[in-house]
Amino acid sequence: MRIVSGKGKETVSEADSRRLVNEAPAVAGMMSTVIDAGGSLDTAVRDIARNGPACSRRLFGEVVFAADTREARDIRTGLSGMLMRLPAAAVSYRRSMQMMIAASESGDGNERKRMLKDAADLALAGLKEAGEAYGASLNTPCMVVFGLGIMVPMILMSILPMLNLGGMFGRSPISPAALSAITLIVIPAAIATVILSIKESNPFMSAADEKADLRYVMPFIGAAAIAFLIHSRTGSLELSVTSAFAVVGAVMYAVMRPEAGREKVRAEQEACLKDSVFELGNRLSSGENFENAVVAAVGIKKECVPLADALRNEMLMCRGDCCAAVDTVIGGISPTVSGFVCDIHRCSRKDIRDAGRLAISLGRQLQDQETVRKGIGNKLKGMVDMMTGTAMLFAPLVLGMSVAMLRPLADLVGGGAGDTAAILVVYLIELCVLTAFLTAYLKGDPGFKGIMRRIAVALPVSLSVFHLCTSIAF
């Protein structure tokens, strides 16, 4: 649904308005950097239009365009009009930006700082409220995924056919082909629909900036050919599919593990860099020059010592262009911190102690944001772990034990459980894929490589548990 103003000008959708709440702390921090250093509202808005988060960058870009083409009288008028057109879901974003406008017009330095802090607090409060509301809304859809993912397939593929073996309880109204179609097509489609609804309602969903890489998909496609070869020798469809996909998943996990390790190191360095902004402020406030202060602040924790060494070398070779040196070393780890440090450097050219106070303010904002986001992440962790455990352990355990316990009944009446087990193996592969997307969307990280890594981890565990359970003799 799109929200349209009275003049017919389109603003943002309801989904985008929720993402604006997620972007509010970052936007507030970027604008505070400019305004607290003595910059104008015009400069702050243009900075967001160039370098801000995706949704805010689009909206602020429209404000700048309207002001430059005289559609709006000036930046302030255009920004105020845009904020008033935002839907109710983005009320915290609107209030935070309105406080920024008021701060930019204040002539008293202390009052301006207080207003900027209030704007940042409003943005964080809105983010926390959105996180709590999102976490509370996940109970029903996740229970639906849990029920559809385990109970319905168990009833359809195990209990229902067994009750009708040999005609003991009358003829089944559902044919085996229909049962297979429901299990392999209808149920996964229903689960996928629920997962997409979760994705759309997640205010913390980041933009997927990486494209699908076929190198990570081809091995799983090749697993089907491997399963065919194994089946031609063993005659067991269940064993062939389980072996092929479990082995391919394990190999893919081993191949992707080094890259996952590098990403973990990058995330740890980014967290340390955010902490270093506060340390940078302390050093600048004591009168230390920017070049020495930033190198010392970055290297204060052991995870970032290599970055500090690289930054020191870049500072020696940059010929005074400190921002280029910072962007070269820090930009690939954390563009946000890199931008803040460059803003602090520009402020330090005017007054080193003012730059120190600015850095302390920004460091406090980054720490507050991390605290709020970690709190939200901890609340969602239980839901993520439950969904992961469902695909990797609970679903294969329940379905595998159901097949194993009902196998004697099937043998007694002259039936067999081989086809049922093979169909459930294929279904568990689908469930692992769907759950990988679900957990990625719950964390707000839809990166392709991360999803493929989750699939590679889940497949060997899930299929191994299922095979062990079906091998139990009752």
Side-chain angles (χ1 to χ4, degrees), residues 214-273:
L214 292 180
R215 292 180 300 172
Y216 300 102
V217 179
M218 292 303 296
F220 295 106
I221 297 176
I226 298 174
F228 177 78
L229 293 176
I230 298 175
H231 181 261
S232 64
R233 291 180 176 272
T234 63
S236 173
L237 183 58
E238 175 202 352
L239 179 62
S240 60
V241 175
T242 300
S243 302
F245 280 89
V247 171
V248 168
V251 172
M252 283 299 301
Y253 172 71
V255 171
M256 300 180 73
R257 186 175 181 180
E259 187 173 359
R262 290 191 293 270
E263 174 58 26
K264 182 179 179 180
V265 171
R266 188 208 65 79
E268 291 175 350
Q269 289 179 336
E270 182 178 24
C272 294
L273 287 174

Side-chain angles (χ1 to χ4, degrees), residues 209 266 269-270 273 294 298 307 310-311 314 322-342:
D209 55 357
R266 188 208 65 79
Q269 289 179 336
E270 182 178 24
L273 287 174
V294 70
V298 168
L307 294 179
L311 184 58
E314 287 291 333
C322 294
C323 288
V326 169
D327 189 59
T328 300
V329 177
I330 299 179
I333 306 296
S334 176
T336 299
V337 174
S338 176
F340 282 171
V341 173
C342 289

Side-chain angles (χ1 to χ4, degrees), residues 109-415:
N110 292 328
E111 183 182 15
R112 182 169 59 249
K113 290 181 181 296
R114 181 185 60 79
M115 288 183 175
L116 292 175
K117 185 179 183 304
D118 289 344
D121 291 342
L122 283 170
L124 287 172
L127 179 65
K128 184 177 181 180
E129 182 180 351
E132 293 175 350
Y134 176 65
S137 70
L138 291 176
N139 291 326
T140 298
C142 286
M143 287 299 103
V144 170
V145 172
F146 183 82
L148 287 175
I150 298 178
M151 303 309 298
V152 176
M154 182 184 70
I155 294 172
L156 289 178
M157 295 304 303
S158 300
I159 298 177
L160 185 59
M162 296 304 167
L163 291 176
N164 295 281
L165 283 173
M168 290 188 299
F169 298 94
R171 183 178 179 183
S172 174
I174 306 178
S175 66
L179 288 176
S180 301
I182 293 173
T183 303
L184 299 181
I185 299 175
V186 177
I187 294 176
I191 294 176
T193 302
V194 176
I195 291 173
L196 289 176
S197 70
I198 291 176
K199 177 187 177 182
E200 289 301 315
S201 63
N202 187 353
F204 310 108
M205 184 65 62
S206 60
D209 55 357
E210 54 180 312
K211 297 180 180 179
D213 193 338
L214 292 180
R215 292 180 300 172
Y216 300 102
V217 179
M218 292 303 296
F220 295 106
I221 297 176
I226 298 174
F228 177 78
L229 293 176
I230 298 175
H231 181 261
S232 64
R233 291 180 176 272
T234 63
S236 173
L237 183 58
E238 175 202 352
L239 179 62
S240 60
V241 175
T242 300
S243 302
F245 280 89
V247 171
V248 168
V251 172
M252 283 299 301
Y253 172 71
V255 171
M256 300 180 73
R257 186 175 181 180
E259 187 173 359
R262 290 191 293 270
E263 174 58 26
K264 182 179 179 180
V265 171
R266 188 208 65 79
E268 291 175 350
Q269 289 179 336
E270 182 178 24
C272 294
L273 287 174
K274 290 181 178 179
D275 291 338
S276 71
V277 176
F278 198 92
E279 176 64 19
L280 173 61
N282 290 333
R283 291 178 177 273
L284 292 176
S285 296
S286 65
E288 189 173 350
N289 69 72
F290 177 83
E291 289 80 359
N292 293 334
V294 70
V295 171
V298 168
I300 197 170
K301 293 189 176 181
K302 61 180 182 179
E303 292 87 351
C304 291
V305 169
L307 294 179
D309 294 337
L311 184 58
R312 182 182 294 108
N313 295 333
E314 287 291 333
M315 286 292 182
L316 293 174
M317 300 174 61
C318 69
R319 296 182 179 179
D321 191 357
C322 294
C323 288
V326 169
D327 189 59
T328 300
V329 177
I330 299 179
I333 306 296
S334 176
T336 299
V337 174
S338 176
F340 282 171
V341 173
C342 289
D343 291 333
I344 294 167
H345 171 254
R346 284 189 285 268
C347 182
S348 69
R349 292 177 176 177
K350 300 177 181 178
D351 189 299
I352 196 71
R353 286 181 169 76
D354 279 349
R357 287 189 288 270
L358 174 62
I360 291 173
S361 175
L362 292 175
R364 186 179 294 110
Q365 287 185 31
L366 288 173
Q367 290 175 356
D368 291 343
Q369 290 179 34
E370 285 301 303
T371 300
V372 171
R373 292 184 187 278
K374 284 181 180 179
I376 294 170
N378 290 335
K379 292 181 180 179
L380 294 178
K381 187 177 185 299
M383 198 68 67
V384 173
D385 290 345
M386 185 185 73
M387 292 295 99
T388 302
T390 296
M392 295 176 61
L393 295 172
F394 196 64
L397 181 66
V398 171
L399 297 177
M401 293 299 294
S402 298
V403 172
M405 288 188 294
L406 293 173
R407 182 179 286 116
L409 177 60
D411 295 337
L412 180 65
V413 298

Side-chain angles (χ1 to χ4, degrees), residues 71-127:
E71 183 179 349
R73 187 174 61 185
D74 51 29
I75 289 288
R76 184 192 182 287
T77 302
L79 180 61
S80 298
M82 180 272 289
L83 293 174
M84 294 307 298
R85 292 193 296 269
L86 293 179
V91 62
S92 62
Y93 185 92
R94 180 170 63 246
R95 290 173 179 172
S96 178
M97 295 303 104
Q98 288 172 337
M99 187 66 71
M100 284 289 173
I101 295 174
S104 69
E105 297 175 345
S106 175
D108 182 87
N110 292 328
E111 183 182 15
R112 182 169 59 249
K113 290 181 181 296
R114 181 185 60 79
M115 288 183 175
L116 292 175
K117 185 179 183 304
D118 289 344
D121 291 342
L122 283 170
L124 287 172
L127 179 65

